[in-house]
Amino acid sequence: LEVAQKQLPLRQAGWNVLTCDPYIIDRLDNKEKLWRHAQELGLRGHMPTHYASAEDADYPCILKPATGQYGIGTYVVNSSEDVRNYAGWEELSPKWVLQELLQGRLEYST
């Protein structure tokens, strides 16, 4: 994000910079914002189902931080009680994302 924010001065200093606009990086870095972006583009069908609340989820599912990398802080949860144990009583968004568990041997990431 920092390179994107400073791309103009870097280019003026003679650097070749390959990046996007900062707002695009912000959308792609946050799983909740990425999901909403996909929805705006009509691509929601290609994304795992997101649940607005622990009570509405179809278990088992995945609870993960909205921002984060390498699966840190990601949990397979089997009930709304599991969600509350990890996330507390706070709202899932914007800090947490609760989504469909995709079964299989492959990892899907962006």
Side-chain angles (χ1 to χ4, degrees), residues 29-65:
D29 187 49
N30 182 298
K31 294 165 188 72
E32 180 67 24
K33 290 179 181 178
L34 173 61
W35 189 82
R36 280 190 263 132
H37 183 63
Q39 185 175 12
E40 290 168 7
L41 296 173
L43 300 172
R44 193 175 96 186
H46 299 284
M47 303 285 289
T49 301
H50 276 219
Y51 301 106
S53 73
E55 289 71 27
D56 293 336
D58 190 14
Y59 294 96
C61 52
I62 297 289
L63 176 69
K64 57 177 128 179

